[in-house]
C-alpha cells in the first residue's frame, strides 16, 4: 500500500513539474471537467426553458417572486409584499436582503438566477477540488470512474435544476459543501479559511434547517482543535439570529416566517389526530418515503466508512458531524417540493461518503477498492435519480408558471390595475403597484393568524377583501373547501394544461366593490392576448 501511495505522489509531482503535464492535467482534471459539463447542462436547461416560455425567462416555481416582492419592499423601508403592511412570507432570513441588492441594480429575475448559477458552479468546483485533494481520483487508471462520479455529483447537488427555482437552496447547498470542506481541511491540520467561516455562519441564515449542520460543524471544529474559529462562528450566528428575532418582534411578526408556520411539515403533523409526537411521525415518514430511504442509505454507507476509519479520530469527527446533520433532517426535515428541501443534506451526505471512501482507500486491497467504486456509483446513482428527473421536468414547470401565474400577473398589472386577491402569491405581487391580498396567508398576517386559529372561512375572506378594496379574486376553488363569500360572482375561469402546478383552473370572482363593466372589459381584452395553450372562459351573467 505504501508503494502505491508513493507511486501516486511521484505521478502527481511529475505532472506538476512538466509544463505539458500541467496543461494536459488542467483540462482533464475532474474539477475542470465538472465545471465544463455543468456549464453545458445548465445552458441547455436555460435554452429549453426559454423555448417553453415564448423566449421569456420564467422560474420553475412561483415562490421566488415572493422573495423579489419582499426585496422591493425592503428597498422602500418595509418588509412584506404590500407597501405599509408587514408580513414575513420569506423562507429565509438573508435571501430577501441579498435580492434587495440585485433589485437595486435593476437585475429583476436575473438577480437570483445569476446568484444561483454562481453558487451551483462554485459548489461543483469546490466539491471536486476537495475530492481531488483527498486522493479519490489519484490513479490515472480511474479516469472513467472519476468522470462518472463527476456526472453523478452534478445531479446529486442538483446543480442543473435547483438554480432555476430562483430560491435560496443553491446557496444553502454551497454553504453546506464549503463548511464540510472546512472540516476536511481542519482534519488535515490546515487552518480553516475566511471562506469556510462565511459558509458556516451563513448556514442558518440562508435556511433555518441549516442550523443543525452549523451546530454539528461548530462542535466538529472545536474537537479538531480550532476552538476560537468555532466560538467566533457561534457568536456571529447567535448575534445574527438575535437581531432577526428582535427585528421581527419590532414589526409585530412571528419569530418564524409564515411559510414555515403554514407549510412546515412538523406543524401540520401536530394538527393531526394521532397522539404520537410530530418528530416520531416525521421519522416514520423518513423511513417510508423514497427520499428518506435514499438519505438513510447514504447515511448507513457513511457510517460504514466511519467504522473503517475508527483509528483516525479526526476523520471520525468529520463523519460524525455529517451523520448528526443527517439524523436531524430525518427527525425534523422536509422532502420534495420540487426536490429542493432535502437536496442540501443529500449533497452533504454524498460529499462525506466520497471523502470517507478516499480516506479508507489506503486500507483496501485492489478487489475491495473495485467493489467500493461499484457501490459508490450505484449509491450515488440512486440518490441522483430524483434530481435527474427534476432537471428534465424543469422546462415544463417553467412553462406551467408562464401559462398560469405569469398570465395572472399580466392581467392584474396591465389590464385590471386594481387591488386583487390571490391564493398563490408571487408573480401577481412582484412589481405590482396595487394591493395584493393573499387569501392563503403567506403575505397577510391577518389571514395567517385566522388560519392558525382555525377561524377562517368565507366571512373572513369577505371582510378582508372589503377592508383592502379588493374588486377581483383569482383563486383555486379546490383550496377553499368552505366556498367563497356568497356576495362574490364568478366571472371567468382560466384553464391551463399544467403538469407541475397544484391546480389547472383558476377562478375569477368579482366582489361587490368592483365595477362589472370594467371587469368584463379587462377580461375581454386579456383573453385576446393569452397563449394559445391557455383558455379563458368568460361567464356572462
Amino acid at each position: 500500500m505504501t508503494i502505491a501511495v508513493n507511486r501516486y505522489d511521484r505521478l502527481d509531482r511529475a505532472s506538476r513539474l512538466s509544463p505539458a503535464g500541467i496543461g494536459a492535467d488542467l483540462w482533464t482534471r475532474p474539477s475542470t471537467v465538472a465545471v465544463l459539463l455543468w456549464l453545458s447542462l445548465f445552458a441547455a436547461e436555460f435554452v429549453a426553458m426559454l423555448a417553453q416560455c415564448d423566449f421569456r425567462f420564467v422560474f420553475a416555481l412561483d415562490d421566488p417572486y415572493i422573495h423579489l416582492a419582499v426585496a422591493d419592499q425592503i428597498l422602500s423601508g418595509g418588509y412584506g409584499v404590500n407597501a405599509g403592511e408587514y408580513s414575513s412570507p420569506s423562507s429565509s432570513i438573508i435571501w430577501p436582503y441579498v435580492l434587495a441588492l440585485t433589485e437595486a441594480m435593476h437585475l429583476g429575475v436575473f438577480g437570483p438566477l445569476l446568484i444561483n448559477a454562481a453558487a451551483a458552479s462554485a459548489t461543483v468546483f469546490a466539491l471536486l477540488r476537495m475530492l481531488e485533494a483527498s486522493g479519490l481520483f489519484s490513479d490515472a487508471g480511474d479516469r472513467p470512474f472519476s468522470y462518472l462520479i463527476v456526472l453523478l455529483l452534478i445531479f446529486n447537488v442538483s446543480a442543473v435544476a435547483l438554480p432555476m427555482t430562483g430560491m435560496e437552496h443553491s446557496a444553502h447547498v454551497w454553504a453546506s459543501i464549503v463548511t464540510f470542506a472546512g472540516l476536511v481541511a481542519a482534519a488535515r491540520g490546515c487552518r480553516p479559511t475566511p471562506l469556510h467561516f462565511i459558509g458556516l455562519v451563513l448556514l442558518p441564515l440562508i435556511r433555518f434547517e441549516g442550523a443543525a449542520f452549523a451546530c454539528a460543524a461548530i462542535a466538529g471544529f472545536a474537537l479538531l482543535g480550532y476552538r476560537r474559529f468555532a466560538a467566533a462562528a457561534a457568536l456571529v450566528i447567535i448575534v445574527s439570529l438575535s437581531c432577526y428575532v428582535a427585528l421581527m418582534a419590532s414589526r409585530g411578526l412571528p419569530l418564524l416566517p409564515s411559510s414555515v408556520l403554514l407549510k412546515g411539515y412538523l406543524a401540520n403533523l401536530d394538527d393531526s389526530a394521532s397522539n404520537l409526537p410530530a418528530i416520531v411521525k416525521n421519522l416514520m415518514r423518513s423511513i417510508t418515503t423514497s427520499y428518506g430511504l435514499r438519505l438513510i442509505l447514504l447515511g448507513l454507507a457513511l457510517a460504514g466508512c466511519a467504522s473503517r476509519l475508527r483509528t483516525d479520530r479526526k476523520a471520525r469527527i468529520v463523519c460524525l458531524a455529517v451523520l448528526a446533520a443527517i439524523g436531524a433532517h430525518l427527525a425534523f426535515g422536509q422532502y420534495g417540493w420540487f426536490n429542493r428541501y432535502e437536496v442540501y443534506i443529500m449533497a452533504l451526505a454524498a460529499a462525506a461518503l466520497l471523502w470517507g471512501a478516499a480516506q479508507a482507500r489506503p486500507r483496501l486491497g485492489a478487489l475491495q477498492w473495485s467493489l467500493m467504486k461499484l457501490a459508490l456509483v450505484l449509491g450515488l446513482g440512486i440518490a441522483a435519480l430524483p434530481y435527474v428527473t427534476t432537471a428534465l421536468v424543469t422546462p415544463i414547470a417553467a412553462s406551467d408558471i408562464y401559462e398560469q401565474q405569469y398570465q395572472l400577473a399580466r392581467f392584474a398589472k396591465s389590464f385590471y390595475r386594481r387591488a386583487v386577491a390571490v391564493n398563490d402569491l408571487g408573480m401577481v405581487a412582484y412589481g405590482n403597484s396595487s394591493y395584493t391580498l393573499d387569501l392563503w396567508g403567506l403575505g397577510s398576517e391577518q389571514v395567517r393568524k385566522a388560519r392558525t386559529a382555525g377561524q377562517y372561512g368565507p366571512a373572513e375572506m369577505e371582510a378582508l377583501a372589503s377592508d383592502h378594496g379588493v374588486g377581483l379574486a383569482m383563486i383555486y376553488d379546490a383550496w377553499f373547501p368552505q366556498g367563497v363569500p356568497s356576495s362574490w360572482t364568478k366571472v371567468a375561469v382560466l384553464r391551463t394544461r399544467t403538469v407541475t402546478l397544484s391546480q389547472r383552473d383558476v377562478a375569477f370572482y368579482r366582489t361587490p366593490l368592483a365595477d362589472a363593466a370594467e371587469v368584463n372589459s379587462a377580461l375581454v381584452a386579456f383573453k385576446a392576448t393569452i397563449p394559445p395553450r391557455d383558455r379563458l372562459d368568460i361567464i356572462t351573467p
Side-chain angles (χ1 to χ4, degrees):
M1 277 185 262
T2 304
I3 294 173
V5 171
N6 289 338
R7 179 168 61 87
Y8 299 146
D9 290 342
R10 288 197 299 271
L11 287 172
D12 186 55
R13 259 196 312 273
S15 68
R16 288 199 302 268
L17 292 174
S18 167
I22 292 173
D25 182 61
L26 176 63
W27 291 104
T28 58
R29 273 183 196 161
S31 55
T32 305
V33 172
V35 172
L36 293 175
L37 180 57
W38 168 82
L39 184 60
S40 301
L41 292 171
F42 183 84
E45 187 90 321
F46 181 77
V47 171
M49 292 174 71
L50 290 179
Q52 289 289 319
C53 302
D54 294 337
F55 293 94
R56 296 178 177 87
F57 180 75
V58 177
F59 286 118
L61 295 171
D62 192 48
D63 297 37
Y65 300 97
I66 301 176
H67 294 78
L68 287 166
V70 174
D72 284 345
Q73 291 304 314
I74 289 173
L75 291 175
S76 301
Y79 193 85
V81 296
N82 290 300
E85 180 180 284
Y86 288 131
S87 63
S88 57
S90 175
S91 54
S92 169
I93 293 175
I94 200 171
W95 191 243
Y97 292 95
V98 173
L99 296 190
L101 296 177
T102 66
E103 284 294 281
M105 299 167 64
H106 305 290
L107 293 178
V109 295
F110 292 102
L113 177 65
L114 290 173
I115 294 172
N116 282 341
S121 61
T123 299
V124 170
F125 183 75
L127 178 53
L128 269 298
R129 285 295 289 164
M130 182 195 68
L131 294 175
E132 286 172 352
S134 72
L136 184 67
F137 310 125
S138 56
D139 190 344
D142 273 350
R143 284 300 186 193
F145 167 71
S146 304
Y147 296 147
L148 186 54
I149 290 296
V150 162
L151 177 62
L152 291 175
L153 282 179
I154 288 174
F155 289 104
N156 280 128
V157 302
S158 195
V160 178
L162 199 60
M164 302 306 184
T165 66
M167 299 291 281
E168 69 274 10
H169 301 277
S170 292
H172 187 199
V173 175
W174 171 83
S176 300
I177 294 300
V178 166
T179 300
F180 176 72
L183 286 170
V184 168
R188 293 201 313 263
C190 301
R191 184 176 297 278
T193 67
L195 184 63
H196 298 144
F197 186 86
I198 292 171
L200 175 54
V201 299
L202 282 179
L203 277 171
L205 303 181
I206 297 174
R207 293 285 300 178
F208 287 93
E209 57 260 52
F213 184 47
C215 290
I218 287 170
F221 281 114
L223 291 172
L224 290 169
Y226 295 94
R227 293 180 178 83
R228 288 187 178 181
F229 179 90
L235 179 61
V236 172
I237 289 173
I238 291 171
V239 170
S240 299
L241 293 178
S242 299
C243 290
Y244 170 76
V245 168
L247 185 60
M248 292 296 103
S250 70
R251 293 167 171 169
L253 295 173
L255 303 186
L256 292 175
S258 54
S259 59
V260 174
L261 295 173
L262 291 174
K263 294 162 63 176
Y265 190 73
L266 287 177
N268 292 333
L269 285 179
D270 273 334
D271 291 336
S272 67
S274 174
N275 293 323
L276 289 174
I279 294 175
V280 175
K281 297 174 193 171
N282 207 52
L283 280 170
M284 293 173 62
R285 177 179 182 241
S286 293
I287 63 177
T288 56
T289 63
S290 60
Y291 295 104
L293 289 173
R294 288 186 181 96
L295 181 56
I296 291 170
L297 173 67
L298 292 179
L300 290 174
L302 178 58
C305 283
S307 177
R308 278 195 168 272
L309 299 170
R310 54 185 174 273
T311 59
D312 188 337
R313 173 181 172 273
K314 292 183 176 181
R316 282 190 291 113
I317 289 172
V318 174
C319 292
L320 288 174
V322 176
L323 286 171
I326 291 173
H329 193 89
L330 291 173
F332 300 100
Q334 296 188 71
Y335 304 90
W337 288 83
F338 217 66
N339 296 329
R340 58 193 172 98
Y341 283 154
E342 80 290 341
V343 64
Y344 81 98
I345 195 66
M346 298 293 287
L348 184 59
L353 177 59
L354 288 170
W355 179 80
Q359 302 313 297
R361 181 177 181 178
R363 299 169 170 82
L364 302 175
L367 178 59
Q368 288 177 310
W369 176 237
S370 296
L371 293 174
M372 173 75 84
K373 290 192 293 184
L374 179 61
L376 289 172
V377 169
L378 288 175
L380 294 182
I382 292 171
L385 280 175
Y387 308 107
V388 174
T389 302
T390 303
L392 294 174
V393 171
T394 289
I396 300 173
S399 174
D400 289 347
I401 295 295
Y402 171 70
E403 291 175 13
Q404 189 178 100
Q405 302 303 328
Y406 182 86
Q407 304 307 321
L408 295 177
R410 279 201 319 116
F411 174 78
K413 290 180 277 191
S414 301
F415 292 88
Y416 185 59
R417 301 189 187 91
R418 299 281 190 275
V420 296
V422 295
N423 59 218
D424 209 5
L425 190 67
M427 267 194 168
V428 175
Y430 175 49
N432 194 345
S433 58
S434 300
Y435 187 87
T436 304
L437 172 62
D438 180 12
L439 293 173
W440 196 243
L442 296 183
S444 171
E445 271 298 286
Q446 292 174 289
V447 175
R448 184 195 67 78
K449 289 177 179 178
R451 283 191 62 200
T452 303
Q455 300 173 349
Y456 187 62
E460 289 74 22
M461 293 166 63
E462 185 173 35
L464 286 166
S466 178
D467 291 344
H468 295 290
V470 171
L472 195 72
M474 301 180 293
I475 62 175
Y476 298 143
D477 281 332
W479 283 24
F480 299 91
Q482 297 183 52
V484 300
S486 58
S487 61
W488 292 10
T489 304
K490 183 180 285 191
V491 292
V493 179
L494 177 65
R495 304 189 189 279
T496 61
R497 294 186 292 177
T498 180
V499 175
T500 61
L501 293 177
S502 173
Q503 301 291 323
R504 296 187 175 192
D505 295 344
V506 181
F508 289 61
Y509 287 93
R510 187 183 70 237
T511 78
L513 299 179
D515 179 87
E518 182 182 22
V519 170
N520 189 68
S521 176
L523 287 169
V524 170
F526 171 62
K527 182 175 182 177
T529 67
I530 62 174
R533 296 179 297 273
D534 288 354
R535 192 177 88 214
L536 183 69
D537 293 337
I538 300 175
I539 302 171
T540 55

